[in-house]
Amino acid sequence: MLRSARPGKKTVLKAAVAAVAFAGIAPMVPASAATPTEDVTTGPTAAATATWQGSNDHVLFWNNAILDVFRQVGGTPGPLTRGGAMMDLAVYDAVNSVHTIGKPYAVKDGTAAGAYSSLNSAIDYAAYTALRNAFPGYPVASLDAKLQQARALPDHASAGAKERGRMLGVKTAEAIIAKRTGDGSADTTPYVTIDAPGHWRPAPGKPAGAPNWGKVKPFALSSGSQFRPGNIGGFANPTDLLQSPAYAAQVNEIKRIGGRDSTERTADQTQLAHYWANDVDGTYKPVGQQYDHTAVIFRKYRPSGTSFESAKLFALTSVSLADAAISIWDSKYGTDWDVWRPADAITRADLVPNPGIVADPNWKPEEKDLAGNSFSPNFPTYVSGHSGVASAWAGILRNYFGRDDLSFTAGTDDPYAVGVTRSFPSLSAAAKEKADSRKYIGVHFEWDNAAALDLGYKVSDQVYANIIN
């Protein structure tokens, strides 16, 4: 998974030391082999290696810091994941310039090869520079404070090495920024509502959520439509869908288990519905939960893992989430299947000629804001964002670790699940529970979730096969 340094650049002793360090084990280094201020001419010391792992891993620091950015910026998954991918790719290219761990994404600075003492500084400034660009609305003072916190972590580098790291990090971030300029993320073309039964419409007084995001240029895919799901339920057109017994069955399931007053939903199902929600602004949002859970899993299964390992994992994860968000939004807005949410399907059922559904104008989803008001996310239902993001995450981690059965326990940011942790036997089990949660909270149908799970796994496989490996 991690490649050793190219032969002929270091002595046998130094190559051996580096190989041990990259495996996450602090090596025993003779005093004559290196000093705490090693530069490109020497290998990493045991003391220096210790600053790249555990609580001193700067990659993990920034992937935790970005959660605060998500909490303050809020909004839909697309812009958040785009910023996360830009940050982690800038960090990856900086780390990969110091020691080859895969293919570069945008740039590889050959002059930085072996500059291990510059590593932490390079990570910090790559992350900081990318975040400044991706989230211009986030307070600069807050981001400056995070940079100061990162720079205060233990670091044995000399002032000169730190400065070389700063220049490297800025360089790789600027390369990523240039690559994303003009990617379509600034498209503000307004959404045109189709005011007809079965079609989704924005909540009164609220704009549609990121209606053009499916047209944004992906990071690893050829387009947002590359893995576009087929028609819902295999129906030839929306009219046949809305009149079918299959549609009635899907609507009635959510009517039973997803409402505020449901008597069929269990206490555990209600808990997991809110555990996975994180929909209200002020939380780290559904995508932030995947970042958080990635760090939990990395710490458990790579307890001695270094920044060389975490940089690659988070780059792959961030890109998978970003391209999944683009693909999901393509499905939501880029087709004729802009189907309404369960709330409309239930409360306005009398507008659709389907004898299998009885309208309930008082039905409300379990999903609620901080004031306790029921709501549905303000974008079409097909496909589910939570579900596609979950499988894109599970798929990329499964590829990275080479297995699915990674058990873990992790938490949430949702205000209706404060202090709740849940345990999972595998990555795919966690993804499936996240998908199911959208039914229990009353905002998605089963076919929204099933199609999104399939989409996310396809995206993750494409990402893993085509970038940085």
Side-chain angles (χ1 to χ4, degrees):
M1 187 176 300
L2 298 176
R3 303 175 186 174
S4 60
R6 291 174 292 178
K9 296 292 185 181
K10 301 180 178 69
T11 64
V12 174
L13 171 61
K14 292 170 185 171
V17 168
V20 172
F22 301 144
I25 303 171
M28 297 299 293
V29 186
S32 60
T35 69
T37 57
E38 77 282 285
D39 202 351
V40 294
T41 57
T42 63
T45 66
T49 302
T51 69
W52 309 335
Q53 57 190 172
S55 60
N56 294 322
D57 184 344
H58 289 229
V59 176
L60 297 183
F61 172 90
W62 284 103
N63 279 281
N64 179 65
I66 199 174
L67 301 183
D68 290 331
V69 179
F70 291 172
R71 291 182 182 106
Q72 185 151 335
V73 172
T76 56
L80 302 182
T81 55
R82 174 183 179 270
M86 289 176 66
M87 180 191 79
D88 279 316
L89 286 172
V91 168
Y92 169 84
D93 274 357
V95 172
N96 192 51
S97 293
V98 174
H99 176 77
T100 300
I101 53 177
K103 296 184 296 185
Y105 182 79
V107 65
K108 184 178 177 68
D109 186 345
T111 67
Y116 301 109
S117 59
S118 298
L119 182 67
N120 290 333
S121 182
I123 293 170
D124 294 340
Y125 282 96
Y128 174 85
T129 306
L131 290 175
R132 279 285 299 270
N133 178 270
F135 299 105
Y138 185 73
V140 174
S142 297
L143 198 57
D144 286 348
K146 295 185 189 308
L147 178 62
Q148 291 173 8
Q149 292 169 17
R151 300 310 302 134
L153 293 172
D155 195 339
H156 298 281
S158 66
K162 291 177 180 179
E163 175 60 16
R164 284 189 290 275
R166 184 193 67 79
M167 291 189 293
L168 172 61
V170 171
K171 177 179 181 178
T172 59
E174 288 179 342
I176 298 297
I177 291 167
K179 201 172 180 68
R180 297 309 300 179
T181 299
D183 63 2
S185 59
D187 187 347
T188 57
T189 303
Y191 176 71
V192 179
T193 301
I194 300 176
D195 191 15
H199 287 277
W200 174 81
R201 60 184 184 180
K206 296 182 178 180
N212 307 298
W213 202 261
K215 296 180 284 187
V216 170
K217 178 183 177 181
F219 288 82
L221 274 58
S222 59
S223 70
S225 63
Q226 183 173 350
F227 298 115
R228 181 184 288 175
N231 292 351
I232 302 175
F235 289 94
N237 57 69
T239 299
D240 290 348
L241 163 72
L242 295 171
Q243 296 177 359
S244 69
Y247 171 75
Q250 297 256 335
V251 173
N252 286 328
E253 180 187 27
I254 309 308
K255 187 178 181 181
R256 293 193 310 272
I257 67 173
R260 289 285 291 267
D261 301 322
S262 173
T263 58
E264 293 191 26
R265 188 179 58 246
T266 68
D268 183 66
Q269 289 167 345
T270 299
Q271 182 193 83
L272 72 87
H274 290 292
Y275 171 89
W276 286 112
N278 295 294
D279 279 314
V280 298
D281 287 343
T283 67
Y284 55 25
K285 308 298 282 188
V287 293
Q289 192 165 31
Q290 305 305 158
Y291 279 73
D292 181 37
H293 291 189
T294 301
V296 168
I297 289 170
F298 182 80
R299 289 189 176 101
K300 178 177 180 178
Y301 292 95
R302 293 287 189 273
S304 298
T306 68
S307 297
F308 295 98
E309 294 173 276
S310 58
K312 188 165 188 176
L313 172 60
F314 273 95
L316 289 166
T317 300
S318 290
V319 170
S320 187
L321 296 179
D323 279 4
I326 294 170
S327 300
I328 292 162
W329 255 247
D330 167 79
S331 178
K332 286 182 181 294
Y333 288 107
T335 72
D336 295 330
W337 297 80
D338 59 337
V339 179
W340 56 16
R341 293 272 182 171
D344 275 336
I346 295 167
T347 61
R348 304 173 68 206
D350 56 343
L351 300 179
V352 176
N354 192 318
I357 309 170
V358 177
D360 180 355
N362 297 315
W363 188 91
K364 295 179 180 180
E366 172 63 17
E367 178 84 284
K368 51 193 175 184
D369 62 21
L370 292 175
N373 302 308
S374 292
F375 74 97
S376 296
N378 210 30
F379 28 84
T381 193
Y382 189 76
V383 296
S384 163
H386 277 65
S387 305
V389 162
S391 58
W393 169 84
I396 206 70
L397 265 69
R398 181 172 64 188
N399 276 310
Y400 178 88
F401 286 98
R403 50 187 284 207
D404 179 61
D405 61 336
L406 300 178
S407 64
F408 68 100
T409 299
T412 180
D413 237 19
D414 194 88
Y416 291 101
V418 176
V420 173
T421 60
R422 293 184 68 86
S423 299
F424 309 96
S426 66
L427 301 168
S428 58
K432 182 61 166 60
E433 184 176 283
K434 186 165 188 171
D436 289 343
S437 76
R438 303 311 279 169
K439 295 193 298 180
Y440 298 130
I441 212 162
V443 299
H444 273 297
F445 304 111
E446 169 58 28
W447 46 36
D448 302 339
N449 299 332
L453 284 171
D454 181 64
L455 171 63
Y457 283 120
K458 289 178 178 176
V459 168
S460 66
D461 287 345
Q462 180 75 6
V463 169
Y464 192 79
N466 286 278
I467 65 165
I468 77 177
N469 281 308

